[in-house]
Amino acid sequence: MKLCLFILVSFALYCSSESSNIQNHLGSRTPYRLKGNKNDSQIKYPNCKDSKIWMVIRHGTRYPNAKDITKINTRLKELKLEILLRHRLGKGELSDEQIKKIENWTWDLDLEKEKFLTLEGQDEMIILAERTRKRFPGAVKEKYNNQTILFRYTATQRAQQSARYFANGLFDKKEAQDVLFSPAAKVDTVLRFYKHCDKWQKQVKKNPLTYTEQKLYGISKEMNDTIKSVTKRLGLKNLLSLDDVNLMYKACGFETSWNKHFTSPWCYPFDVRSVQTMEYYQDLKYYWMDGYGHDLTYRQACVSIKNMFENFSSKGGPSASFLFTHSGTILKILTHLELFKPRSHLRGDKNVPDRTWRASDIDCFGANLALVLYRCKGVDYVLALHQERVVKLPMCEKELCPLKTLKEYFHKSIYECDYTDMCSLKKDDL
Ligand SMILES: *[C@@H]1O[C@H](CO)[C@@H](O)[C@H](O)[C@H]1NC(C)=O
Ligand SMILES: *[C@@H]1O[C@H](CO)[C@@H](O)[C@H](O)[C@H]1NC(C)=O
Ligand SMILES: *[C@@H]1O[C@H](CO)[C@@H](O)[C@H](O)[C@H]1NC(C)=O
Ligand SMILES: *[C@@H]1O[C@H](CO)[C@@H](O)[C@H](O)[C@H]1NC(C)=O
Ligand SMILES: *[C@@H]1O[C@H](CO)[C@@H](O)[C@H](O)[C@H]1NC(C)=O
């Protein structure tokens, strides 16, 4: 009896730790609730006062794009039937309980909701805002004032709604209704510089070489082992394709993110090791597209960095600027600031388990970077927070970094940020 109980308890512990381990590695679809810092105490330094905040925020959890909605609806429904069939023949490694959950799984997402912010995404923004206000009462005033707080977002439903729910978290209901949301600009180079950077589009985004390392990893031993492991766990007759395994990984990510009280059955095919393979596979793409792979990728983020320095250097202007944007912007800004830089480029031959460049940690839904201006006895300092945790910028000696030091270091970003020149395709680039 005692032994049974012991086995039961340790099994449950094992299962729950495995499931939480998997949830921590869902790449850009990782839920913010697992990553944000929940300690919302005011961040104080002796003789200092927080006076301004500039924060970029990736929209909260969204629905998949139309292509993924359709693929999940068709291909995963097919696979579901096959898995149930094989289980009846005694194949596969899933428990009856897990099979029941798969049997029960349906997918009836309307295509019209593609990329829309989910309910969980709304919650993420509300909670993030509540904590931000508590941490920085000097920069984020309790009372709303259209001169001191600025919301800016891209022309997308998910960014615009993220701004709205963030405002609901900052202010009480009545005040939140007064918040001024200026219409989004169709072309906003501060929020989404890369969208209009022709040279980057051509040389990086649409350049097949950008995906070389990811493709290599797609046929690596680690990936082949993962595909075999997933196929075996599900008891399928034929080896799954990488596309199928990736689709399950995506469904696991989305369903985990948008519903905190439900375990997506599409996480069952994975163990910690195989989910980390899928995570690295996605990281390779973002690393080479949005990270340290190409100089122009992060150089163009000077447009945003410059905006931040201008805000911090002017006497007036808003004391709080909240910018709602996308994964591509967040990653390029982090890279411009030289954060999470690996010792060497990430490659497709094998996983680099100790890397800090990891979308699950730095680019989950609701991922955010805040720069906060502190005034200490008349001198300005900047504090950086990533996912609401203080981080030391690599070019600074301490966390609280003199504004002057940063402005010197980023002199080029401020004074030589010629976006048009940097982004226009010249004859010899073609
Ligand atoms: C919460 O944050 C504050 C301010 O940064 C810190 O002083 C305090 O120790 C933290 N509390 C916990 C429980 O970590
Ligand atoms: C099956 O789905 C329904 C509706 O989503 C849910 O209420 C029920 O608990 C599920 N059953 C199992 C075994 O997961
Ligand atoms: C900003 O707030 C002031 C004072 O409450 C108000 O008079 C003004 O109309 C507001 N501006 C806009 C553009 O709503
Ligand atoms: C992995 O599988 C692919 C496709 O079957 C194959 O081309 C490749 O050589 C395999 N990789 C390794 C390292 O065995
Ligand atoms: C501060 O940043 C906001 C948001 O990007 C911008 O609209 C505003 O003009 C800036 N203000 C100053 C004084 O630099």
Side-chain angles (χ1 to χ4, degrees):
M1 185 63 202
K2 239 182 191 162
L3 184 69
C4 269
L5 198 67
F6 172 74
I7 290 172
L8 211 72
V9 168
S10 45
F11 183 69
L13 278 176
Y14 169 78
C15 285
S16 69
S17 79
E18 172 150 291
S19 116
S20 74
N21 268 329
I22 286 174
Q23 295 184 354
N24 265 304
H25 297 284
L26 299 174
S28 60
R29 289 171 291 269
T30 303
Y32 190 67
R33 60 180 183 272
L34 300 179
K35 301 296 175 179
N37 176 12
K38 301 190 177 57
N39 178 352
D40 59 8
S41 314
Q42 186 179 349
I43 299 186
K44 288 188 207 161
Y45 290 92
N47 305 311
C48 299
K49 185 176 171 295
D50 58 299
S51 61
K52 284 190 178 182
I53 182 170
W54 182 91
M55 190 169 180
V56 277
I57 303 163
R58 183 185 177 209
H59 58 76
T61 297
R62 62 161 169 80
Y63 287 116
N65 62 26
K67 206 169 124 201
D68 285 339
I69 293 181
T70 306
K71 268 166 80 180
I72 292 173
N73 193 35
T74 51
R75 184 61 187 144
L76 287 192
K77 279 188 179 165
E78 273 170 37
L79 281 167
K80 165 184 162 174
L81 295 180
E82 216 177 311
I83 294 162
L84 298 178
L85 199 74
R86 297 291 293 171
H87 182 76
R88 260 175 245 134
L89 297 174
K91 309 288 181 193
E93 296 164 0
L94 299 187
S95 67
D96 288 346
E97 185 61 26
Q98 289 174 323
I99 286 291
K100 240 187 237 147
K101 294 267 170 64
I102 290 183
E103 194 162 11
N104 205 15
W105 177 82
T106 64
W107 182 263
D108 42 25
L109 195 57
D110 201 335
L111 271 181
E112 272 166 24
K113 279 197 173 163
E114 77 144 348
K115 293 193 180 177
F116 275 26
L117 192 70
T118 63
L119 286 173
E120 179 70 11
Q122 298 173 0
D123 281 353
E124 286 163 350
M125 292 298 121
I126 292 172
I127 292 165
L128 175 62
E130 286 172 354
R131 293 196 294 241
T132 301
R133 190 171 65 77
K134 284 187 189 149
R135 271 186 210 112
F136 308 111
V140 191
K141 306 279 191 302
E142 204 161 332
K143 277 206 89 52
Y144 173 69
N145 174 331
N146 62 24
Q147 300 298 304
T148 55
I149 295 211
L150 187 131
F151 295 92
R152 189 164 167 175
Y153 41 87
T154 63
T156 58
Q157 191 269 2
R158 59 197 182 283
Q160 186 256 336
Q161 288 297 302
S162 292
R164 158 131 324 266
Y165 283 93
F166 191 90
N168 288 352
L170 286 184
F171 306 111
D172 66 38
K173 239 190 179 143
K174 212 174 142 290
E175 254 181 322
Q177 286 171 355
D178 295 335
V179 171
L180 185 67
F181 294 102
S182 323
K186 262 228 132 46
V187 175
D188 190 325
T189 49
V190 170
L191 287 186
R192 262 223 271 204
F193 35 82
Y194 52 97
K195 249 204 137 165
H196 311 282
C197 186
D198 294 339
K199 190 163 168 181
W200 180 79
Q201 291 284 339
K202 173 150 178 89
Q203 293 189 338
V204 182
K205 177 98 194 254
K206 292 183 183 142
N207 182 351
L209 290 176
T210 300
Y211 308 93
T212 302
E213 300 297 334
Q214 192 198 27
K215 281 206 189 103
L216 263 176
Y217 194 60
I219 52 165
S220 66
K221 173 154 192 330
E222 282 173 16
M223 185 55 84
N224 288 359
D225 287 348
T226 288
I227 293 174
K228 270 185 224 150
S229 146
V230 168
T231 307
K232 185 158 165 267
R233 237 170 135 97
L234 297 176
L236 299 173
K237 215 155 123 195
N238 300 317
L239 197 63
L240 286 161
S241 66
L242 171 55
D243 271 358
D244 282 342
V245 175
N246 205 21
L247 195 59
M248 293 179 198
Y249 179 61
K250 282 185 182 176
C252 163
F254 280 119
E255 291 188 330
T256 301
S257 278
W258 75 51
N259 194 339
K260 50 177 161 298
H261 306 298
F262 169 82
T263 306
S264 166
W266 295 109
C267 300
Y268 300 149
F270 300 98
D271 55 17
V272 175
R273 207 185 148 128
S274 53
V275 90
Q276 285 176 346
T277 304
M278 300 315 293
E279 180 190 33
Y280 190 63
Y281 180 70
Q282 194 199 33
D283 278 358
L284 281 171
K285 173 170 145 193
Y286 286 129
Y287 179 81
W288 288 94
M289 185 166 74
D290 296 326
Y292 290 97
H294 298 272
D295 162 77
L296 178 59
T297 299
Y298 47 91
R299 201 152 39 93
Q300 53 178 325
C302 65
V303 184
S304 306
I305 299 297
K306 188 175 155 183
N307 176 269
M308 180 267 297
F309 280 117
E310 278 170 6
N311 267 250
F312 283 1
S313 305
S314 87
K315 280 249 150 27
S319 69
S321 306
F322 298 110
L323 282 53
F324 296 86
T325 179
H326 305 269
S327 159
T329 305
I330 297 280
L331 291 176
K332 293 179 192 78
I333 290 177
L334 293 176
T335 307
H336 194 103
L337 295 175
E338 299 172 27
L339 289 163
F340 312 112
K341 187 174 185 168
R343 283 183 302 276
S344 56
H345 282 315
L346 302 182
R347 299 286 178 193
D349 52 350
K350 61 177 187 349
N351 201 332
V352 182
D354 62 350
R355 70 192 180 283
T356 53
W357 176 274
R358 191 184 285 275
S360 305
D361 295 334
I362 67 178
D363 188 36
C364 57
F365 285 126
N368 56 81
L369 172 80
L371 295 163
V372 184
L373 186 71
Y374 276 82
R375 185 147 296 161
C376 314
K377 294 184 177 164
V379 182
D380 287 333
Y381 291 84
V382 174
L383 186 72
L385 289 95
H386 175 254
Q387 316 291 50
E388 309 174 75
R389 263 177 217 95
V390 172
V391 285
K392 190 185 85 59
L393 293 170
M395 63 292 300
C396 298
E397 247 174 73
K398 291 183 183 159
E399 289 168 350
L400 204 56
C401 184
L403 177 63
K404 189 163 164 283
T405 307
L406 281 176
K407 280 170 85 171
E408 278 163 18
Y409 192 86
F410 288 103
H411 189 272
K412 265 181 126 171
S413 311
I414 302 170
Y415 299 102
E416 291 168 43
C417 182
D418 191 339
Y419 178 76
T420 313
D421 182 59
M422 167 177 349
C423 288
S424 58
L425 280 164
K426 306 195 177 81
K427 242 209 221 113
D428 42 327
D429 296 328
L430 293 169

